[in-house]
PDB file of all heavy atoms in Angstrom:
ATOM      1  N   GLN K 287      97.453 -43.953  17.310  1.00 90.00           N
ATOM      2  CA  GLN K 287      96.759 -43.141  18.361  1.00 90.00           C
ATOM      3  C   GLN K 287      95.249 -43.160  18.090  1.00 90.00           C
ATOM      4  O   GLN K 287      94.766 -43.138  16.948  1.00 90.00           O
ATOM      5  CB  GLN K 287      97.224 -41.663  18.272  1.00 90.00           C
ATOM      6  CG  GLN K 287      96.520 -40.704  19.205  1.00 90.00           C
ATOM      7  CD  GLN K 287      96.785 -40.994  20.642  1.00 90.00           C
ATOM      8  OE1 GLN K 287      97.928 -41.196  21.092  1.00 90.00           O
ATOM      9  NE2 GLN K 287      95.726 -41.163  21.449  1.00 90.00           N
ATOM     10  N   LYS K 288      94.484 -43.273  19.188  1.00 92.00           N
ATOM     11  CA  LYS K 288      93.039 -43.222  19.077  1.00 92.00           C
ATOM     12  C   LYS K 288      92.591 -41.764  19.309  1.00 92.00           C
ATOM     13  O   LYS K 288      93.074 -41.142  20.295  1.00 92.00           O
ATOM     14  CB  LYS K 288      92.390 -44.162  20.075  1.00 92.00           C
ATOM     15  CG  LYS K 288      90.796 -44.179  19.911  1.00 92.00           C
ATOM     16  CD  LYS K 288      90.181 -45.301  20.661  1.00 92.00           C
ATOM     17  CE  LYS K 288      88.691 -45.371  20.389  1.00 92.00           C
ATOM     18  NZ  LYS K 288      87.982 -46.511  21.121  1.00 92.00           N
ATOM     19  N   TYR K 289      91.647 -41.280  18.461  1.00 93.00           N
ATOM     20  CA  TYR K 289      91.109 -39.957  18.657  1.00 93.00           C
ATOM     21  C   TYR K 289      89.578 -39.978  18.726  1.00 93.00           C
ATOM     22  O   TYR K 289      88.906 -40.843  18.132  1.00 93.00           O
ATOM     23  CB  TYR K 289      91.513 -39.066  17.402  1.00 93.00           C
ATOM     24  CG  TYR K 289      93.022 -38.754  17.323  1.00 93.00           C
ATOM     25  CD1 TYR K 289      93.821 -39.546  16.548  1.00 93.00           C
ATOM     26  CD2 TYR K 289      93.520 -37.635  17.986  1.00 93.00           C
ATOM     27  CE1 TYR K 289      95.135 -39.295  16.389  1.00 93.00           C
ATOM     28  CE2 TYR K 289      94.864 -37.340  17.826  1.00 93.00           C
ATOM     29  CZ  TYR K 289      95.656 -38.157  17.107  1.00 93.00           C
ATOM     30  OH  TYR K 289      97.010 -37.872  16.981  1.00 93.00           O
ATOM     31  N   TYR K 290      89.089 -39.058  19.494  1.00 95.00           N
ATOM     32  CA  TYR K 290      87.616 -38.852  19.647  1.00 95.00           C
ATOM     33  C   TYR K 290      87.280 -37.546  18.923  1.00 95.00           C
ATOM     34  O   TYR K 290      88.032 -36.548  19.010  1.00 95.00           O
ATOM     35  CB  TYR K 290      87.214 -38.882  21.049  1.00 95.00           C
ATOM     36  CG  TYR K 290      87.500 -40.167  21.772  1.00 95.00           C
ATOM     37  CD1 TYR K 290      88.719 -40.418  22.391  1.00 95.00           C
ATOM     38  CD2 TYR K 290      86.584 -41.171  21.799  1.00 95.00           C
ATOM     39  CE1 TYR K 290      89.048 -41.613  23.008  1.00 95.00           C
ATOM     40  CE2 TYR K 290      86.797 -42.415  22.433  1.00 95.00           C
ATOM     41  CZ  TYR K 290      88.005 -42.680  23.020  1.00 95.00           C
ATOM     42  OH  TYR K 290      88.334 -43.801  23.648  1.00 95.00           O
ATOM     43  N   TYR K 291      86.131 -37.502  18.288  1.00 95.00           N
ATOM     44  CA  TYR K 291      85.746 -36.318  17.535  1.00 95.00           C
ATOM     45  C   TYR K 291      84.264 -36.049  17.641  1.00 95.00           C
ATOM     46  O   TYR K 291      83.489 -37.014  18.000  1.00 95.00           O
ATOM     47  CB  TYR K 291      86.183 -36.389  16.157  1.00 95.00           C
ATOM     48  CG  TYR K 291      85.429 -37.367  15.257  1.00 95.00           C
ATOM     49  CD1 TYR K 291      84.249 -36.901  14.549  1.00 95.00           C
ATOM     50  CD2 TYR K 291      85.858 -38.636  15.146  1.00 95.00           C
ATOM     51  CE1 TYR K 291      83.490 -37.755  13.801  1.00 95.00           C
ATOM     52  CE2 TYR K 291      85.017 -39.574  14.355  1.00 95.00           C
ATOM     53  CZ  TYR K 291      83.913 -39.099  13.695  1.00 95.00           C
ATOM     54  OH  TYR K 291      83.193 -39.938  12.966  1.00 95.00           O
ATOM     55  N   ALA K 292      83.907 -34.799  17.343  1.00 96.00           N
ATOM     56  CA  ALA K 292      82.473 -34.525  17.141  1.00 96.00           C
ATOM     57  C   ALA K 292      82.453 -33.471  16.024  1.00 96.00           C
ATOM     58  O   ALA K 292      83.288 -32.532  16.024  1.00 96.00           O
ATOM     59  CB  ALA K 292      81.861 -33.855  18.447  1.00 96.00           C
ATOM     60  N   VAL K 293      81.562 -33.609  15.063  1.00 95.00           N
ATOM     61  CA  VAL K 293      81.394 -32.705  13.988  1.00 95.00           C
ATOM     62  C   VAL K 293      79.974 -32.218  13.959  1.00 95.00           C
ATOM     63  O   VAL K 293      79.026 -32.907  14.328  1.00 95.00           O
ATOM     64  CB  VAL K 293      81.784 -33.262  12.643  1.00 95.00           C
ATOM     65  CG1 VAL K 293      83.281 -33.662  12.592  1.00 95.00           C
ATOM     66  CG2 VAL K 293      80.892 -34.525  12.275  1.00 95.00           C
ATOM     67  N   GLY K 294      79.779 -30.992  13.513  1.00 94.00           N
ATOM     68  CA  GLY K 294      78.473 -30.372  13.387  1.00 94.00           C
ATOM     69  C   GLY K 294      78.522 -28.903  13.909  1.00 94.00           C
ATOM     70  O   GLY K 294      79.511 -28.233  13.638  1.00 94.00           O
ATOM     71  N   TYR K 295      77.452 -28.483  14.548  1.00 92.00           N
ATOM     72  CA  TYR K 295      77.456 -27.093  14.988  1.00 92.00           C
ATOM     73  C   TYR K 295      76.552 -26.985  16.241  1.00 92.00           C
ATOM     74  O   TYR K 295      75.443 -27.430  16.203  1.00 92.00           O
ATOM     75  CB  TYR K 295      76.957 -26.201  13.888  1.00 92.00           C
ATOM     76  CG  TYR K 295      77.074 -24.744  14.192  1.00 92.00           C
ATOM     77  CD1 TYR K 295      78.290 -24.124  14.459  1.00 92.00           C
ATOM     78  CD2 TYR K 295      75.894 -23.887  14.219  1.00 92.00           C
ATOM     79  CE1 TYR K 295      78.344 -22.752  14.790  1.00 92.00           C
ATOM     80  CE2 TYR K 295      75.932 -22.602  14.489  1.00 92.00           C
ATOM     81  CZ  TYR K 295      77.229 -22.010  14.786  1.00 92.00           C
ATOM     82  OH  TYR K 295      77.271 -20.652  15.059  1.00 92.00           O
ATOM     83  N   GLU K 296      77.119 -26.286  17.222  1.00 86.00           N
ATOM     84  CA  GLU K 296      76.411 -26.032  18.508  1.00 86.00           C
ATOM     85  C   GLU K 296      75.906 -27.294  19.086  1.00 86.00           C
ATOM     86  O   GLU K 296      76.723 -28.195  19.346  1.00 86.00           O
ATOM     87  CB  GLU K 296      75.298 -24.964  18.255  1.00 86.00           C
ATOM     88  CG  GLU K 296      75.832 -23.597  17.902  1.00 86.00           C
ATOM     89  CD  GLU K 296      74.769 -22.565  17.701  1.00 86.00           C
ATOM     90  OE1 GLU K 296      73.589 -22.940  17.511  1.00 86.00           O
ATOM     91  OE2 GLU K 296      75.065 -21.386  17.712  1.00 86.00           O
ATOM     92  N   LYS K 297      74.576 -27.452  19.257  1.00 87.00           N
ATOM     93  CA  LYS K 297      74.085 -28.581  19.988  1.00 87.00           C
ATOM     94  C   LYS K 297      73.922 -29.802  19.062  1.00 87.00           C
ATOM     95  O   LYS K 297      73.678 -30.897  19.501  1.00 87.00           O
ATOM     96  CB  LYS K 297      72.691 -28.270  20.601  1.00 87.00           C
ATOM     97  CG  LYS K 297      72.851 -27.201  21.738  1.00 87.00           C
ATOM     98  CD  LYS K 297      71.505 -26.919  22.344  1.00 87.00           C
ATOM     99  CE  LYS K 297      71.552 -25.845  23.425  1.00 87.00           C
ATOM    100  NZ  LYS K 297      70.247 -25.571  23.960  1.00 87.00           N
ATOM    101  N   ASN K 298      73.994 -29.591  17.734  1.00 92.00           N
ATOM    102  CA  ASN K 298      73.732 -30.653  16.805  1.00 92.00           C
ATOM    103  C   ASN K 298      75.064 -31.220  16.340  1.00 92.00           C
ATOM    104  O   ASN K 298      75.689 -30.726  15.417  1.00 92.00           O
ATOM    105  CB  ASN K 298      72.952 -30.092  15.605  1.00 92.00           C
ATOM    106  CG  ASN K 298      71.573 -29.630  15.962  1.00 92.00           C
ATOM    107  OD1 ASN K 298      70.759 -30.385  16.418  1.00 92.00           O
ATOM    108  ND2 ASN K 298      71.353 -28.369  15.859  1.00 92.00           N
ATOM    109  N   LEU K 299      75.476 -32.287  17.017  1.00 95.00           N
ATOM    110  CA  LEU K 299      76.792 -32.851  16.813  1.00 95.00           C
ATOM    111  C   LEU K 299      76.701 -34.355  16.594  1.00 95.00           C
ATOM    112  O   LEU K 299      75.862 -35.018  17.173  1.00 95.00           O
ATOM    113  CB  LEU K 299      77.791 -32.568  17.945  1.00 95.00           C
ATOM    114  CG  LEU K 299      78.119 -31.083  18.245  1.00 95.00           C
ATOM    115  CD1 LEU K 299      78.835 -30.988  19.600  1.00 95.00           C
ATOM    116  CD2 LEU K 299      78.921 -30.500  17.142  1.00 95.00           C
ATOM    117  N   PHE K 300      77.613 -34.915  15.765  1.00 94.00           N
ATOM    118  CA  PHE K 300      77.765 -36.291  15.576  1.00 94.00           C
ATOM    119  C   PHE K 300      79.050 -36.696  16.218  1.00 94.00           C
ATOM    120  O   PHE K 300      80.119 -36.146  15.918  1.00 94.00           O
ATOM    121  CB  PHE K 300      77.865 -36.686  14.096  1.00 94.00           C
ATOM    122  CG  PHE K 300      78.126 -38.117  13.765  1.00 94.00           C
ATOM    123  CD1 PHE K 300      77.120 -38.994  13.636  1.00 94.00           C
ATOM    124  CD2 PHE K 300      79.458 -38.557  13.747  1.00 94.00           C
ATOM    125  CE1 PHE K 300      77.343 -40.353  13.346  1.00 94.00           C
ATOM    126  CE2 PHE K 300      79.743 -39.931  13.475  1.00 94.00           C
ATOM    127  CZ  PHE K 300      78.620 -40.870  13.283  1.00 94.00           C
ATOM    128  N   TYR K 301      79.063 -37.621  17.161  1.00 95.00           N
ATOM    129  CA  TYR K 301      80.150 -38.072  17.920  1.00 95.00           C
ATOM    130  C   TYR K 301      80.748 -39.391  17.297  1.00 95.00           C
ATOM    131  O   TYR K 301      79.961 -40.306  16.936  1.00 95.00           O
ATOM    132  CB  TYR K 301      79.859 -38.279  19.366  1.00 95.00           C
ATOM    133  CG  TYR K 301      79.547 -37.020  20.138  1.00 95.00           C
ATOM    134  CD1 TYR K 301      78.273 -36.404  20.064  1.00 95.00           C
ATOM    135  CD2 TYR K 301      80.526 -36.432  20.887  1.00 95.00           C
ATOM    136  CE1 TYR K 301      78.052 -35.186  20.748  1.00 95.00           C
ATOM    137  CE2 TYR K 301      80.276 -35.172  21.616  1.00 95.00           C
ATOM    138  CZ  TYR K 301      79.024 -34.617  21.533  1.00 95.00           C
ATOM    139  OH  TYR K 301      78.784 -33.384  22.158  1.00 95.00           O
ATOM    140  N   GLY K 302      82.050 -39.467  17.262  1.00 94.00           N
ATOM    141  CA  GLY K 302      82.726 -40.679  16.750  1.00 94.00           C
ATOM    142  C   GLY K 302      84.109 -40.780  17.276  1.00 94.00           C
ATOM    143  O   GLY K 302      84.644 -39.956  18.058  1.00 94.00           O
ATOM    144  N   SER K 303      84.780 -41.817  16.772  1.00 95.00           N
ATOM    145  CA  SER K 303      86.208 -42.009  17.135  1.00 95.00           C
ATOM    146  C   SER K 303      86.916 -42.773  15.909  1.00 95.00           C
ATOM    147  O   SER K 303      86.266 -43.380  15.142  1.00 95.00           O
ATOM    148  CB  SER K 303      86.383 -42.819  18.467  1.00 95.00           C
ATOM    149  OG  SER K 303      85.836 -44.115  18.278  1.00 95.00           O
ATOM    150  N   PHE K 304      88.215 -42.630  15.932  1.00 94.00           N
ATOM    151  CA  PHE K 304      89.031 -43.404  14.947  1.00 94.00           C
ATOM    152  C   PHE K 304      90.402 -43.605  15.482  1.00 94.00           C
ATOM    153  O   PHE K 304      90.835 -42.963  16.445  1.00 94.00           O
ATOM    154  CB  PHE K 304      89.111 -42.631  13.591  1.00 94.00           C
ATOM    155  CG  PHE K 304      89.737 -41.268  13.697  1.00 94.00           C
ATOM    156  CD1 PHE K 304      91.141 -41.167  13.512  1.00 94.00           C
ATOM    157  CD2 PHE K 304      88.974 -40.111  13.937  1.00 94.00           C
ATOM    158  CE1 PHE K 304      91.782 -39.968  13.596  1.00 94.00           C
ATOM    159  CE2 PHE K 304      89.632 -38.899  13.973  1.00 94.00           C
ATOM    160  CZ  PHE K 304      91.021 -38.799  13.879  1.00 94.00           C
ATOM    161  N   GLU K 305      91.060 -44.543  14.858  1.00 93.00           N
ATOM    162  CA  GLU K 305      92.453 -44.879  15.240  1.00 93.00           C
ATOM    163  C   GLU K 305      93.343 -44.784  13.983  1.00 93.00           C
ATOM    164  O   GLU K 305      92.982 -45.168  12.902  1.00 93.00           O
ATOM    165  CB  GLU K 305      92.616 -46.313  15.805  1.00 93.00           C
ATOM    166  CG  GLU K 305      91.893 -46.488  17.095  1.00 93.00           C
ATOM    167  CD  GLU K 305      92.049 -47.886  17.706  1.00 93.00           C
ATOM    168  OE1 GLU K 305      93.304 -48.246  17.869  1.00 93.00           O
ATOM    169  OE2 GLU K 305      91.084 -48.507  17.997  1.00 93.00           O
ATOM    170  N   THR K 306      94.556 -44.241  14.239  1.00 92.00           N
ATOM    171  CA  THR K 306      95.528 -44.165  13.118  1.00 92.00           C
ATOM    172  C   THR K 306      96.295 -45.462  13.037  1.00 92.00           C
ATOM    173  O   THR K 306      96.190 -46.349  13.929  1.00 92.00           O
ATOM    174  CB  THR K 306      96.408 -43.006  13.344  1.00 92.00           C
ATOM    175  OG1 THR K 306      97.008 -43.054  14.638  1.00 92.00           O
ATOM    176  CG2 THR K 306      95.775 -41.656  13.066  1.00 92.00           C
ATOM    177  N   GLU K 307      97.090 -45.635  11.998  1.00 87.00           N
ATOM    178  CA  GLU K 307      97.802 -46.858  11.726  1.00 87.00           C
ATOM    179  C   GLU K 307      98.545 -47.360  12.959  1.00 87.00           C
ATOM    180  O   GLU K 307      99.212 -46.583  13.592  1.00 87.00           O
ATOM    181  CB  GLU K 307      98.800 -46.583  10.567  1.00 87.00           C
ATOM    182  CG  GLU K 307      99.712 -47.722  10.256  1.00 87.00           C
ATOM    183  CD  GLU K 307     100.806 -47.292   9.366  1.00 87.00           C
ATOM    184  OE1 GLU K 307     100.975 -46.073   9.103  1.00 87.00           O
ATOM    185  OE2 GLU K 307     101.561 -48.192   8.827  1.00 87.00           O
ATOM    186  N   ASN K 308      98.423 -48.684  13.174  1.00 81.00           N
ATOM    187  CA  ASN K 308      99.041 -49.158  14.473  1.00 81.00           C
ATOM    188  C   ASN K 308      99.746 -50.463  14.261  1.00 81.00           C
ATOM    189  O   ASN K 308     100.271 -51.077  15.267  1.00 81.00           O
ATOM    190  CB  ASN K 308      98.031 -49.311  15.595  1.00 81.00           C
ATOM    191  CG  ASN K 308      96.875 -50.112  15.210  1.00 81.00           C
ATOM    192  OD1 ASN K 308      96.949 -50.896  14.251  1.00 81.00           O
ATOM    193  ND2 ASN K 308      95.782 -50.108  16.010  1.00 81.00           N
ATOM    194  N   ASP K 309      99.793 -51.054  13.079  1.00 84.00           N
ATOM    195  CA  ASP K 309     100.620 -52.261  12.811  1.00 84.00           C
ATOM    196  C   ASP K 309     101.049 -52.376  11.403  1.00 84.00           C
ATOM    197  O   ASP K 309     100.711 -51.491  10.608  1.00 84.00           O
ATOM    198  CB  ASP K 309      99.789 -53.538  13.260  1.00 84.00           C
ATOM    199  CG  ASP K 309      98.503 -53.638  12.546  1.00 84.00           C
ATOM    200  OD1 ASP K 309      98.486 -53.363  11.341  1.00 84.00           O
ATOM    201  OD2 ASP K 309      97.509 -54.077  13.179  1.00 84.00           O
ATOM    202  N   LEU K 310     101.745 -53.402  11.055  1.00 88.00           N
ATOM    203  CA  LEU K 310     102.253 -53.561   9.726  1.00 88.00           C
ATOM    204  C   LEU K 310     101.371 -54.408   8.837  1.00 88.00           C
ATOM    205  O   LEU K 310     101.727 -54.709   7.715  1.00 88.00           O
ATOM    206  CB  LEU K 310     103.663 -54.173   9.787  1.00 88.00           C
ATOM    207  CG  LEU K 310     104.753 -53.258  10.481  1.00 88.00           C
ATOM    208  CD1 LEU K 310     106.059 -54.018  10.469  1.00 88.00           C
ATOM    209  CD2 LEU K 310     104.859 -51.927   9.777  1.00 88.00           C
ATOM    210  N   GLU K 311     100.226 -54.898   9.316  1.00 93.00           N
ATOM    211  CA  GLU K 311      99.327 -55.656   8.540  1.00 93.00           C
ATOM    212  C   GLU K 311      98.205 -54.700   8.029  1.00 93.00           C
ATOM    213  O   GLU K 311      97.860 -53.713   8.683  1.00 93.00           O
ATOM    214  CB  GLU K 311      98.646 -56.731   9.398  1.00 93.00           C
ATOM    215  CG  GLU K 311      99.675 -57.798   9.911  1.00 93.00           C
ATOM    216  CD  GLU K 311      98.945 -58.893  10.704  1.00 93.00           C
ATOM    217  OE1 GLU K 311      97.807 -59.111  10.447  1.00 93.00           O
ATOM    218  OE2 GLU K 311      99.613 -59.465  11.506  1.00 93.00           O
ATOM    219  N   THR K 312      97.703 -55.014   6.858  1.00 96.00           N
ATOM    220  CA  THR K 312      96.768 -54.099   6.142  1.00 96.00           C
ATOM    221  C   THR K 312      95.520 -54.980   5.868  1.00 96.00           C
ATOM    222  O   THR K 312      95.643 -56.010   5.237  1.00 96.00           O
ATOM    223  CB  THR K 312      97.271 -53.522   4.872  1.00 96.00           C
ATOM    224  OG1 THR K 312      98.461 -52.824   5.249  1.00 96.00           O
ATOM    225  CG2 THR K 312      96.255 -52.565   4.241  1.00 96.00           C
ATOM    226  N   THR K 313      94.329 -54.509   6.281  1.00 97.00           N
ATOM    227  CA  THR K 313      93.060 -55.198   5.983  1.00 97.00           C
ATOM    228  C   THR K 313      92.115 -54.114   5.354  1.00 97.00           C
ATOM    229  O   THR K 313      91.843 -53.098   5.899  1.00 97.00           O
ATOM    230  CB  THR K 313      92.418 -55.758   7.290  1.00 97.00           C
ATOM    231  OG1 THR K 313      93.370 -56.679   7.919  1.00 97.00           O
ATOM    232  CG2 THR K 313      91.155 -56.512   6.891  1.00 97.00           C
ATOM    233  N   ILE K 314      91.720 -54.484   4.124  1.00 97.00           N
ATOM    234  CA  ILE K 314      90.887 -53.531   3.337  1.00 97.00           C
ATOM    235  C   ILE K 314      89.598 -54.253   2.923  1.00 97.00           C
ATOM    236  O   ILE K 314      89.672 -55.416   2.401  1.00 97.00           O
ATOM    237  CB  ILE K 314      91.605 -53.102   2.066  1.00 97.00           C
ATOM    238  CG1 ILE K 314      92.966 -52.495   2.391  1.00 97.00           C
ATOM    239  CG2 ILE K 314      90.740 -52.051   1.250  1.00 97.00           C
ATOM    240  CD1 ILE K 314      93.837 -52.266   1.190  1.00 97.00           C
TER     241      ILE K 314
END
């Protein structure tokens, strides 16, 4: 699943996104 997020407080926010595990291959 892809998620969008913002962290911070009031008007001062950092926006980003991330995806959770989605296949059986691992790349580090």
Side-chain angles (χ1 to χ4, degrees):
Q287 175 66 52
K288 185 169 185 177
Y289 291 94
Y290 297 87
Y291 71 90
V293 295
Y295 186 60
E296 294 182 341
K297 297 180 181 179
N298 297 295
L299 296 171
F300 175 93
Y301 289 82
S303 64
F304 63 88
E305 293 184 54
T306 51
E307 176 191 10
N308 58 13
D309 59 40
L310 295 179
E311 297 184 26
T312 303
T313 304
I314 306 167

